Amino acid sequence: MTGAPKPSIRLAGLRKTFTLQHRHAGSLKAAMLSIFTPPRLERREVLRGIDLDILPGETVAIVGRNGSGKSTLLSLVARVYKPTSGEVTVNGTVAPLLELGAGFHPDLTGVENVELYGAILGLSRRQIQAQFDSIVRFAFDRPDLAEKIDTPLRNYSDGMKMRLGFSIAVHTDPAILLVDEVLAVGDEAFQHKCLDKIEEFQAQGKTILFVSHDMVMVRRVAHRVVWLQDGLVLRDGPTADVVDSYMAEPGPAASAAASPG
Amino acid sequence: MRQLTAELAEVWRFRALFLQLVRRDLKVRYKNSKLGFVWSIAPPLMQVACITFAFKNATTFAAKFDSYSAYVLAAMIPWTYFQTAVLDSSQSILMMYGVIRKVYMPREIIPLATSVSNFIHFAMSWLVFFAYLVFYLHAPLLPTLAWFPVLILAQFFLVTAASLVVSCLNVFYEDVKYIVTVLFNLGLFVLPIMYLPEQVLHSPTMQSLWGGWAARIYMWNPLAVLISGYRKCMLEPPHPSVLGGNAATPFDPGSVLGILGVSFVALVLSYMFFNARKWRFVERP
């Protein structure tokens, strides 16, 4: 056998087809009334056979225009979608970054929300308690913010919730971090902090898979870029090469690249 | 069957998250007021007080009970549990939608946690009932009380079954919550909460309707069986004058075991129904 390391993420012949209902019955009433007229179904192939190996320690950016299947691919790696066919193999714990506010409860205090959110991301209570101070320190570096940790989350600004969520996610010590365009929120200082943390993750040899339209960010962070188009891998290679040809592409790809975020 | 045990093993693997969700539900429920639990049990108690007021004054049968309000309360506690648990779980998955779009977890733990946290509240509500029974009414504790744990277990199965189906349907159809609310409003009158099931069974109208089948079908309702079972295992039978001279039917262990079996089968079928749909909750192209 070769000495090549076991991939962190292996996608083999991965396909995902969605079945769309055209006259969508949004209510039970409508569904019952239309019981004798079967809905017209349309199948949309979003991923049409993806083979991809991502090695431990790699930071891979997925680029492509809207509808190319980037987010679907990330959802399959996170196991929130089931593949239509093909296989997703993941070695190591995965931490996805959640959208702003997801998983938090406004009536609970910051402390209680840290416990809940940590559990959602797969931490035991003991692990959360051990990391607690560090989580708060990373999220709220100012003492006046840190004081709020015992008050209900409804008193927090969006930025504070975002910081707290990111802080918990990075403290789960995952082997693989999945990032889907969420770092665009937050003030500049915090974005810098996030980038520092991502670089720290890279230094620790963790695997990062992220989706972005922000080519400045991609160039800065990614080692390798996978360009998806119509559910297939169009290009896969070193960051500079793929981003250059992606930006050179006329049409939506270039315009998306020109307006980061 | 093998697949079902594999799904349950996956739920067990996520028990830490499950317990956090139960804790969250209970904390949120008791946090919104200083009095916590006491405050959250006030609505059914007020309902019982008002029903007692109306029926004791406007009907002739209610006054013939030694304690009519104990009979209403013994029905209102399980009925409130059923309603709140199913309504809470109807929203449970949508409340976690942003999470399950990004993070893997066996989705059934979300309605299960709602069901369990409501069950804990339900179990505590009975303490209020027993306190009322023993310290206020000075009623004896009957030997049939031994069947009480079986009844609450059967109801837990039934509530969880309904929660799984309703929470799942509510992801796909937006009007499920309203339909369920309407049905619950009807339930307050159709179920034997303000009266005894025997009154329905002995009523001349019901006995002649559909050749007597209407009365039989009335007792096919698992909630009617449960409510009747709770009362008969905890309370002494009412005076025969309540039922126009007929003695109330005694506590029937067979019907309790029957409802336990029915509820368990309902739970297994609902779980299969849920599992067949749970992967489609978040999938959008």
Side-chain angles (χ1 to χ4, degrees), chain B residues 219-240:
Chain B
M219 287 313 280
W220 284 356
N221 181 345
L223 280 169
V225 178
L226 278 170
I227 287 173
S228 186
Y230 281 119
R231 282 171 169 165
K232 286 182 198 299
C233 93
M234 296 184 300
L235 297 167
E236 288 184 305
H239 196 267

Side-chain angles (χ1 to χ4, degrees), chain A residues 16 18 20 26-29 78-82 96 98-99 103 107 112 115-116 119-120 125 180, chain B residues 13 17 20 23-24 27-28 31-32 99-104 107 173-175 279 283-285:
Chain A
K16 182 69 198 173
F18 293 99
L20 298 176
S27 68
L28 199 58
K29 188 183 71 183
R79 287 214 292 155
V80 296
Y81 290 0
K82 220 176 195 166
L98 300 187
E99 271 153 32
D107 288 346
E112 290 164 337
E115 283 189 2
L116 176 63
I120 288 171
R125 272 185 87 185
D180 189 358
Chain B
R13 211 162 66 78
L17 173 58
Q20 278 293 338
R23 278 163 53 98
R24 177 201 66 180
K27 269 188 195 158
V28 169
K31 183 162 267 185
N32 287 325
V99 172
I100 60 173
R101 265 168 40 118
K102 296 279 177 180
V103 189
Y104 170 77
R107 275 104 195 222
Y173 306 114
E174 61 198 3
D175 58 346
W279 283 98
E283 292 197 347
R284 304 273 185 277

Side-chain angles (χ1 to χ4, degrees), chain A residues 61-85:
Chain A
I62 301 177
V63 301
R65 31 181 105 161
N66 291 331
S68 57
K70 304 183 296 289
S71 294
T72 302
L73 190 135
L74 220 59
S75 299
L76 283 160
V77 173
R79 287 214 292 155
V80 296
Y81 290 0
K82 220 176 195 166
T84 307
S85 67

Side-chain angles (χ1 to χ4, degrees), chain A residues 128-203:
Chain A
I128 297 163
Q129 276 155 6
Q131 299 266 32
F132 186 79
D133 290 334
S134 170
I135 290 173
V136 176
R137 217 177 311 122
F138 183 83
F140 308 132
D141 34 16
R142 293 194 344 242
D144 58 315
L145 292 180
E147 265 173 24
K148 276 200 165 177
I149 198 75
D150 284 317
T151 66
L153 212 74
R154 60 167 90 256
N155 302 330
Y156 288 37
S157 67
D158 280 354
M160 287 174 72
K161 283 186 225 163
M162 160 85 204
R163 284 155 174 262
L164 195 58
F166 182 82
S167 178
I168 301 164
V170 296
H171 279 86
T172 56
D173 193 30
I176 301 159
L177 190 68
L178 301 179
V179 187
D180 189 358
E181 296 273 19
V182 285
L183 290 183
V185 226
D187 60 25
E188 199 149 335
F190 190 67
Q191 281 202 29
H192 271 288
K193 223 168 159 179
C194 293
L195 277 175
D196 289 348
K197 192 77 193 178
I198 283 181
E199 275 156 12
E200 191 188 316
F201 266 48
Q202 291 176 324

Side-chain angles (χ1 to χ4, degrees), chain B residues 50-65 68-69 72 194-196 199 241-242:
Chain B
C50 292
I51 290 169
T52 307
F53 164 77
F55 275 65
K56 280 215 163 175
N57 291 307
T59 71
T60 51
F61 80 92
K64 293 174 186 156
F65 282 88
Y68 175 69
S69 52
V72 180
M194 306 182 223
Y195 48 86
L196 299 178
Q199 289 174 292
S241 62
V242 172

